[in-house]
Amino acid sequence: MAAPKSVKLVNGEMIPSIGLGTWQSKPGEVGPAVSTAIDAGYRHIDCAFAYQNEEEIGKVLQEKITNGIVKREDMFITSKLWSTYHQPPFVKAGFMITLKNLRLDYLDLFLMHWPTALQPGKGLIPKDDKGQPCYDDVGFVNTWQAMEKLVDQGLCKAIGVSNFNKEQIENILSVAKHPVAVLQVECHPYLVQNDMLEFCKSKNIVMTAYSPLGCPGRPWEFKDDEPLPLEDPIVKAIATARKKTPAQILIRFQIERGITVIPKSANAGRIKENVEVFDFKLSKSEMTKLLGLDKNLRLIYFSLMSKHPHYPFEPRK
């Protein structure tokens, strides 16, 4: 059976199986990347206030829609609420900044970026006079309830979470009026997240994999000797046998599991290659080999939040 090019959300809307990730896409390169992606057939763009590039993305979206290249209703646009907007009175304000920057009337999906709240203030990470992050004690359940009002007001079609653990999701589900539609988490063959995937399936939550290639951009908190799935001999061997790129194998790996995937690239050639994954299927043996690479190796920790009472992960060792 061929893997679907889109997956149904709990609200009945369809989320494309592949989207363009825009984290770490720099000013001046994110616009051309989004333009290339839309021209190549992408209809899912993953954004966030914290990426600080939504205004440039919005210009491209407006141009493509105005020029008739794509219809708004054919696009699936995701963004995320940043941690300084977690206090319920500020949730809509944070959302509206994103909506204005993206030049849209509504979002298809709005996620709580992290369960860890920061005090409202200047910059993405407000800090005290000792240089430490200013944590806020507002509960993410309260933030969620404020996000639900955005759905009630027709400003977004679905809401979800990112970087939450199972217990935190259960806490939200216990009070939710609107269902958790999506969980976005780091996922690749070194962190396959099988338990989380099964949990999501049991709750009708679609899982989206960020950093599906292992984040080759090497963010600030990587260790120099940390391995990358893209460079794994097993991944390379499957790619060679299939006459595909290692990235295409890693993307197809997630789609086979029913996970939507948002690889980031600013390279036009790779953007086009990354969506060309629907003309082959990985065998059961190949899937077993890829699943067997699991090291429970998390690469994205957001260590600045590690002392927050709502930090979702085990601290980095």
Side-chain angles (χ1 to χ4, degrees):
M1 180 179 176
K5 292 188 177 182
S6 59
V7 177
K8 183 178 286 190
L9 297 177
V10 67
N11 67 349
E13 299 289 333
M14 303 298 291
I15 180 172
S17 295
I18 300 179
L20 179 73
T22 60
W23 179 46
Q24 294 187 306
S25 286
K26 301 172 184 176
E29 71 175 27
V30 69
V34 171
S35 180
T36 296
I38 292 174
D39 291 346
Y42 287 72
R43 293 298 178 261
H44 177 188
I45 309 295
D46 182 82
C47 314
F49 174 88
Y51 303 164
Q52 299 184 293
N53 56 15
E54 289 188 322
E55 192 168 359
E56 188 172 335
I57 294 170
K59 290 178 182 178
V60 174
L61 291 175
Q62 185 180 59
E63 288 171 4
K64 295 292 184 182
I65 294 168
T66 301
N67 293 334
I69 304 300
V70 68
K71 295 179 180 178
R72 170 64 185 97
E73 58 266 30
D74 294 333
M75 295 296 299
F76 192 100
I77 308 298
T78 299
S79 191
K80 308 175 191 75
L81 181 74
W82 184 238
S83 296
T84 53
Y85 292 94
H86 274 212
Q87 290 187 18
F90 298 154
V91 167
K92 186 173 182 179
F95 175 89
M96 294 306 295
I97 292 171
T98 277
L99 203 63
K100 179 182 178 182
N101 285 342
L102 291 174
R103 305 188 183 196
L104 299 174
D105 297 322
Y106 68 92
L107 291 182
D108 298 276
L109 177 64
F110 193 51
L111 307 176
M112 200 183 318
H113 206 154
W114 287 84
T116 48
L118 290 166
Q119 292 179 17
K122 294 181 179 179
L124 291 178
I125 313 287
K127 295 182 180 179
D128 61 22
D129 55 7
K130 296 180 180 179
Q132 296 301 308
C134 296
Y135 297 153
D136 199 347
D137 60 3
V138 61
F140 52 80
V141 170
N142 300 101
T143 305
W144 177 266
Q145 291 172 325
M147 289 172 61
E148 291 183 320
K149 295 178 181 178
L150 301 174
V151 181
D152 293 336
Q153 294 165 12
L155 292 169
C156 63
K157 292 186 175 182
I159 49 178
V161 295
S162 176
N163 300 301
F164 275 55
N165 61 38
K166 285 189 275 189
E167 182 180 357
Q168 291 169 332
I169 297 171
E170 290 278 23
N171 288 341
I172 287 178
L173 291 174
S174 69
V175 302
K177 289 196 315 178
H178 291 288
V180 177
V182 169
L183 168 67
Q184 188 176 123
V185 287
E186 178 185 348
C187 190
H188 44 74
Y190 290 173
L191 184 69
V192 298
Q193 301 264 28
N194 265 338
D195 288 346
M196 183 61 85
L197 178 59
E198 291 308 310
F199 170 78
C200 285
K201 288 180 178 178
S202 75
K203 304 296 182 181
N204 292 318
I205 299 170
V206 170
M207 199 162 115
T208 295
Y210 73 70
S211 296
L213 311 182
C215 200
R218 295 275 177 185
W220 61 92
E221 54 190 358
F222 265 31
K223 297 177 181 177
D224 290 340
D225 61 348
E226 225 145 31
L228 281 175
L230 270 176
E231 300 168 359
D232 191 276
I234 289 177
V235 175
K236 286 184 172 182
I238 295 173
T240 299
R242 290 285 184 174
K243 297 182 179 179
K244 294 289 182 179
T245 67
Q248 288 171 325
I249 298 301
L250 295 177
I251 292 165
R252 181 71 195 195
F253 167 68
Q254 302 293 4
I255 293 173
E256 295 273 358
R257 304 171 71 206
I259 298 173
T260 60
V261 58
I262 47 170
K264 176 264 176 184
S265 182
N267 178 283
R270 286 195 288 269
I271 289 170
K272 294 172 184 176
E273 285 178 348
N274 287 348
V275 78
E276 294 172 353
V277 294
F278 294 101
D279 59 349
F280 73 104
K281 175 177 170 59
L282 294 170
S283 69
K284 184 176 180 180
S285 172
E286 289 168 331
M287 288 295 293
T288 299
K289 289 178 181 178
L290 292 170
L291 288 166
L293 294 176
D294 188 27
K295 308 174 190 291
N296 197 30
L297 178 63
R298 189 176 301 281
L299 301 174
I300 311 300
Y301 274 88
F302 197 18
S303 298
L304 282 170
M305 292 288 202
S306 62
K307 295 181 181 178
H308 196 289
H310 297 149
Y311 186 69
F313 312 133
E314 290 293 325
R316 186 185 181 103
K317 297 179 180 178

